[in-house]
Amino acid sequence: MDIRYDPNVMVGLGVPDDAGVYQLSEELALVQTVDFFSPNVDDPYSFGAIAAANALSDIYAMGGRPIVALNVICFPEKKLPLSIMEEILRGGADKAAEAGISIIGGHSLKDEEPKYGLCVTGLVHPQKIITNAKARGGDALVLTKPIGLGIINAAIKTGIASDETTQQAIELMSQLNRKASEVMIEIGVNACTDVTGFSLLGHLYEMTSASGVGAYISLSKVPVIPQAWQLLKEMNILPGTHANLAFLEGKIDWDSNISSGEQVMLCDAQTSGGLLIAVTRDRSDQLLEALHSAGIPVATEIGEIISDENRRIRVRKK
Ligand code: CO
Ligand code: CO
Ligand code: CO
């Protein structure tokens, strides 16, 4: 048997989903993901926590429950003191503990630039996987964290972000999507993905393509970190974001009153962003109320899935 066609692979490389899923039994499937990247903030402990929250997020986006993780770390041990690596690992370990799991091993490698993340294993019931392929016309689209993190990360690198803005971004990026995931599992939703480097619109595009539907987004309803609008005016180099814009060119119907800056914002590459959830209309209020009571007041309905065989995404102002 060609191992690539192992019938127990429920979600694999062929689809752009958040994590792979492998069925173990009638009632149990493994959810697996790995994610690591270079520091986006100066403080090593915060970087470790952000990288771990970001890696765990793919398990949460699939409706899974993380059970265990491994460290993946690259470090220039001749260039930087080992205490920095220890701080990165401590940040990751504390975040894993907050998620209720242990890190049971890992791998380290000498490299010019530090990089850190986790390989995470989770569990899910095979019938309860939340992919991004089952959004349906009429579903409300709900987002659980504000966007603008890519712009703020770039501003942090350039040194123009205020301490307050930096701290706010660190808090947002370190925030686990655990509660949001637990709430959506309890209410029952059609599709979910987490918003990361491919941006809000990029990840929505993955969802609409995989589900065979269209969507609209109301820009005025999308939560944006307020300082990100100001910083956007001062930043002109946003590599990830511009790659997203280029990829999405021709795939988005922008209403004529959407400015180019607003287009950039919706294509902004996030780090450890929130969950983007498609939920049937009759459960959307219940989902939002439950998210708000779970301590996620920013959770907002930002648009709707539309039955459209051409799978177009429209961005309108209101
Ligand atoms: Co993801
Ligand atoms: Co990922
Ligand atoms: Co998913």
Side-chain angles (χ1 to χ4, degrees), residues 17-19 33-35 54-55 58 194 196:
D17 220 313
D18 298 294
T33 187
V34 59
D35 221 318
N54 181 72
D58 280 328
D194 59 334
T196 53

Side-chain angles (χ1 to χ4, degrees), residues 197-259:
F198 204 23
S199 80
L200 175 60
L201 280 188
H203 288 286
L204 175 61
Y205 176 77
E206 284 183 335
M207 183 184 281
T208 53
S209 304
S211 303
V213 294
Y216 77 79
I217 292 288
S218 296
L219 174 72
S220 61
K221 293 187 185 160
V222 175
V224 177
I225 305 163
Q227 297 86 335
W229 286 119
Q230 180 54 41
L231 289 167
L232 176 60
K233 292 180 197 155
E234 299 165 40
M235 303 296 309
N236 37 35
I237 305 160
L238 300 160
T241 298
H242 288 297
N244 291 338
L245 262 173
F247 175 81
L248 291 168
E249 200 186 326
K251 300 183 176 79
I252 308 287
D253 299 321
W254 304 98
D255 276 14
S256 57
N257 57 354
I258 306 291
S259 71

Side-chain angles (χ1 to χ4, degrees), residues 14-307:
V15 290
D17 220 313
D18 298 294
V21 183
Y22 186 86
Q23 184 157 6
L24 295 173
S25 72
E26 289 287 296
E27 273 155 28
L28 206 58
L30 278 181
V31 191
Q32 296 228 275
T33 187
V34 59
D35 221 318
F36 64 109
F37 49 80
S38 316
N40 54 339
V41 295
D42 290 334
D43 175 47
Y45 178 88
S46 298
F47 166 57
I50 291 166
N54 181 72
L56 281 154
S57 181
D58 280 328
I59 303 287
Y60 293 131
M62 300 300 286
R65 178 173 60 85
I67 53 165
V68 79
L70 301 171
N71 282 320
V72 182
I73 188 155
C74 303
F75 198 76
E77 54 183 43
K78 296 228 162 69
K79 240 167 58 182
L80 292 173
L82 275 179
S83 60
I84 292 185
M85 183 163 99
E86 285 162 16
E87 276 299 279
I88 295 172
L89 292 172
R90 194 171 68 86
D94 282 356
K95 195 46 70 176
E98 190 189 325
I101 66 166
S102 300
I103 295 174
I104 58 167
H107 186 71
S108 66
L109 193 71
K110 280 178 226 162
D111 199 3
E112 276 303 295
E113 195 183 15
K115 296 173 189 74
Y116 175 66
L118 296 177
C119 173
V120 192
T121 298
L123 295 176
V124 70
H125 189 288
Q127 303 317 319
K128 291 181 179 163
I129 303 167
I130 303 172
T131 69
N132 53 21
K134 288 184 178 158
R136 293 291 170 259
D139 286 357
L141 279 169
V142 169
L143 180 66
T144 66
K145 282 190 196 179
I147 61 168
L149 289 163
I151 291 159
I152 293 176
N153 281 336
I156 292 171
K157 273 208 171 106
T158 325
I160 60 166
S162 69
D163 289 350
E164 199 191 336
T165 300
T166 304
Q167 205 44 48
Q168 194 191 356
I170 287 174
E171 271 164 36
L172 272 168
M173 292 185 287
S174 313
Q175 201 180 90
L176 288 175
N177 283 324
R178 177 183 183 170
K179 278 184 189 157
S181 176
E182 287 170 354
V183 166
M184 82 168 175
I185 291 167
E186 197 186 314
I187 306 282
V189 306
N190 286 344
C192 174
T193 189
D194 59 334
V195 178
T196 53
F198 204 23
S199 80
L200 175 60
L201 280 188
H203 288 286
L204 175 61
Y205 176 77
E206 284 183 335
M207 183 184 281
T208 53
S209 304
S211 303
V213 294
Y216 77 79
I217 292 288
S218 296
L219 174 72
S220 61
K221 293 187 185 160
V222 175
V224 177
I225 305 163
Q227 297 86 335
W229 286 119
Q230 180 54 41
L231 289 167
L232 176 60
K233 292 180 197 155
E234 299 165 40
M235 303 296 309
N236 37 35
I237 305 160
L238 300 160
T241 298
H242 288 297
N244 291 338
L245 262 173
F247 175 81
L248 291 168
E249 200 186 326
K251 300 183 176 79
I252 308 287
D253 299 321
W254 304 98
D255 276 14
S256 57
N257 57 354
I258 306 291
S259 71
S260 57
E262 289 166 339
Q263 295 186 18
V264 172
M265 185 63 80
L266 293 177
C267 294
D268 182 44
Q270 305 301 289
T271 300
S272 191
L275 298 183
L276 176 67
I277 302 168
V279 58
T280 43
R281 185 49 65 194
D282 58 355
R283 292 183 189 180
S284 59
D285 283 345
Q286 206 188 339
L287 176 70
L288 284 167
E289 272 163 37
L291 287 169
H292 297 163
S293 333
I296 310 165
V298 72
T300 317
E301 181 180 334
I302 60 165
E304 195 173 289
I305 296 288
I306 294 166
S307 302

